[in-house]
Amino acid sequence: RVQLVESGGGSVQAGGSLRLSCAASGQIYSNWCLGWFRQAPGNEREGVGFIYALSGSTYYADSVKGRVTISRDGANNMLFLEMNSLKPEDTAMYYCAARTYYARSFQGFDYWGQGTQVTVSS
C-alpha cells in the first residue's frame, strides 16, 4: 500500500515562493501519475497538476500554469511542487496524490496524503 506524506507548507507573502514535498512509501510504478491538489475553506478540492512517472510529462491546471512546477525524484520516491508568484487565492490545504494509470485529467487519484497548509498573505 502506498502512503504519502506532505511537507513544506507555511505562510508566505504574496509574490513569494514555496516548495512543497511529498514522500511516498511503497511501490510507485512507472505507469502511475503523481499529483498535487488543493482545497480552500468552503471550496471543492481542485487539481493543481500531476506528473507521469514513466515519461516525466506534466499537466497543470490553467489557474496555476506558468507559476508552478511539479518534479519527481524517483530514486527517493519524492514528489515536489514549486510555486512562484503566489497569490492570496493560492491559500489552501495542499494534498499529494497518486493514480495507478495515465490519463490527462484530475480524475481517478486513489492514494492521498494528509495535506500541508499554505497561507499567502497580501
Side-chain angles (χ1 to χ4, degrees), residues 92-110:
M93 184 72 77
Y94 282 72
Y95 298 91
C96 175
R99 179 175 61 198
T100 61
Y101 58 92
Y102 177 77
R104 287 185 64 79
S105 77
F106 286 113
Q107 306 302 313
F109 282 80
D110 295 319

Side-chain angles (χ1 to χ4, degrees), residues 47-63:
V48 175
F50 61 85
I51 186 168
Y52 181 40
L54 181 62
S55 66
S57 60
T58 51
Y59 179 88
Y60 298 106
D62 289 340
S63 60

Side-chain angles (χ1 to χ4, degrees), residues 1-6 21-29 32 34 72-80 96-98 111 113:
R1 177 171 177 77
V2 171
Q3 290 187 316
L4 304 170
V5 179
E6 304 92 338
S21 300
C22 173
S25 61
Q27 182 68 50
I28 302 294
Y29 294 93
W32 286 29
L34 301 171
R72 176 175 175 253
D73 177 355
N76 293 296
N77 263 0
M78 294 292 296
L79 180 71
F80 304 102
C96 175
Y111 298 97

